[in-house]
Amino acid sequence: MLDPRLTPARGDIAAKHLEGRVQAARFVEGETFVIGANLAPLREAPAADAVLLTQAIKGEIVTIYDRNEEGWAWGQLAADGYVGWLPEATFVKFGPDPTHKVTAIRTFAFPGPSIKLPPVESPVMLSLVKVVRDEGNFAVTDEGLFLPKQHIADMGHIESDFVAVAERLVGTPYLWGGKSSLGIDCSGLVQVSLHAAGIECPRDSDLQQAWLGRALDADESNNLQRGDLIFWKGHVAIVRDAATVVHANAFHMATAIEGTQEAIARIKASGSEVIAIKRL
């Protein structure tokens, strides 16, 4: 059965490539755009108060299949295949191919070559930009924005330790559906950290459990290694070392470092047992 989270199909409309596999009143070819906003909310329904499913980051590709008269568009993100509703104002037609990515957890884009100027935007980690020239300590983008050179790297850059990326996000407020330093959830933390390290990763914790790594047996589970992933129903944590994990969670309402056994006991007391431990 096709996963509705990853399948651009509704009763009234579906992607053309799904014809013969799903039922819909009509099938359409999608139109591809790029996210132009710093963060674009992908929602369950075309309304600002609808559930936030995930977020798209500046530079991500999205295929749009439907639009309504209230400024919402229904489509699918290319990076992880997630389907939902985006505000039309958050995506634009393709421009020049990006040359760099933001590597800081968050940076500022200035209108000129001075940190004293009021920032125009605040791009988050993994945002993609086209750099056209250098000016002093700044990289100038094709949009005329000035980014600190220390906060970007070329497109080929990958982080060597995805756990270290997660650790840099400690203290980030918990946000259901979030995937940036402005707000993040448990599976968003795993996805962003792995993407920074050049590793493909689905969006939700159940998909991550199914697709990532290999399951550890009982003996191996007693000898956890940095980078192992511990899964509960609806939750995931990243192992830092033999004694601690880092995870975005609603108990702390933040990304926090916690003792592994303390986290397991606390979550068990709330009614959820560990269901898998995976090693990448």
Side-chain angles (χ1 to χ4, degrees), residues 238-250:
I238 304 168
V239 174
R240 295 179 64 244
D241 51 37
T244 61
V245 295
V246 55
H247 58 151
N249 65 90

Side-chain angles (χ1 to χ4, degrees), residues 193-249:
S193 301
L194 286 175
H195 280 180
I199 301 170
E200 290 188 14
C201 179
R203 179 59 178 91
D204 292 344
S205 62
D206 64 324
L207 299 174
Q208 293 170 355
Q209 179 191 337
W211 296 1
L212 295 176
R214 64 175 181 86
L216 302 188
D217 60 30
D219 289 338
E220 290 175 310
S221 296
N222 291 324
N223 294 282
L224 297 177
Q225 297 179 8
R226 185 174 176 86
D228 289 345
L229 301 175
I230 304 176
F231 292 93
W232 296 259
K233 184 178 181 179
H235 188 60
V236 59
I238 304 168
V239 174
R240 295 179 64 244
D241 51 37
T244 61
V245 295
V246 55
H247 58 151
N249 65 90

Side-chain angles (χ1 to χ4, degrees), residues 115-127:
I115 59 173
K116 296 181 180 180
L117 295 172
V120 176
E121 295 181 359
S122 183
V124 299
M125 186 163 58
L126 300 182
S127 297

Side-chain angles (χ1 to χ4, degrees), residues 127-177:
S127 297
L128 304 181
V129 296
K130 166 73 173 180
V131 173
V132 294
R133 72 177 193 277
D134 290 345
E135 188 166 330
N137 294 322
F138 294 91
V140 186
T141 73
D142 64 310
E143 299 175 292
L145 301 177
F146 289 69
L147 299 174
K149 288 182 181 178
Q150 301 94 322
H151 289 175
I152 64 172
D154 63 49
M155 291 291 290
H157 174 82
I158 60 172
E159 299 287 345
S160 60
D161 179 7
F162 85 91
V163 185
V165 177
E167 290 169 334
R168 288 164 56 196
L169 289 162
V170 167
T172 298
Y174 181 84
L175 175 66
W176 181 275

Side-chain angles (χ1 to χ4, degrees), residues 12-188:
D12 60 331
I13 191 171
K16 184 71 173 177
H17 66 83
L18 293 172
E19 194 165 8
R21 301 178 64 195
V22 302
Q23 291 186 340
R26 61 190 178 101
F27 294 86
V28 299
E29 296 286 357
E31 189 175 0
T32 305
F33 296 89
V34 64
I35 300 298
N38 284 334
L39 280 173
L42 189 81
R43 297 195 180 277
E44 187 175 55
D49 59 354
V51 171
L52 179 66
L53 300 175
T54 187
Q55 294 172 315
I57 295 171
K58 186 182 181 74
E60 283 195 52
I61 295 170
V62 59
T63 301
I64 298 300
Y65 296 99
D66 190 25
R67 303 181 190 228
N68 68 16
E69 296 179 354
E70 286 73 48
W72 290 87
W74 182 74
Q76 183 174 35
L77 302 178
D80 57 21
Y82 225 104
V83 175
W85 290 90
L86 289 162
E88 284 188 298
T90 60
F91 56 84
V92 297
K93 292 183 178 180
F94 276 96
D97 289 338
T99 60
H100 290 72
K101 65 176 76 172
V102 174
T103 53
I105 62 170
R106 187 166 65 254
T107 189
F108 290 115
F110 298 95
S114 172
I115 59 173
K116 296 181 180 180
L117 295 172
V120 176
E121 295 181 359
S122 183
V124 299
M125 186 163 58
L126 300 182
S127 297
L128 304 181
V129 296
K130 166 73 173 180
V131 173
V132 294
R133 72 177 193 277
D134 290 345
E135 188 166 330
N137 294 322
F138 294 91
V140 186
T141 73
D142 64 310
E143 299 175 292
L145 301 177
F146 289 69
L147 299 174
K149 288 182 181 178
Q150 301 94 322
H151 289 175
I152 64 172
D154 63 49
M155 291 291 290
H157 174 82
I158 60 172
E159 299 287 345
S160 60
D161 179 7
F162 85 91
V163 185
V165 177
E167 290 169 334
R168 288 164 56 196
L169 289 162
V170 167
T172 298
Y174 181 84
L175 175 66
W176 181 275
K179 50 184 271 187
S180 82
S181 59
L182 295 170
I184 204 161
D185 64 15
C186 65
S187 55

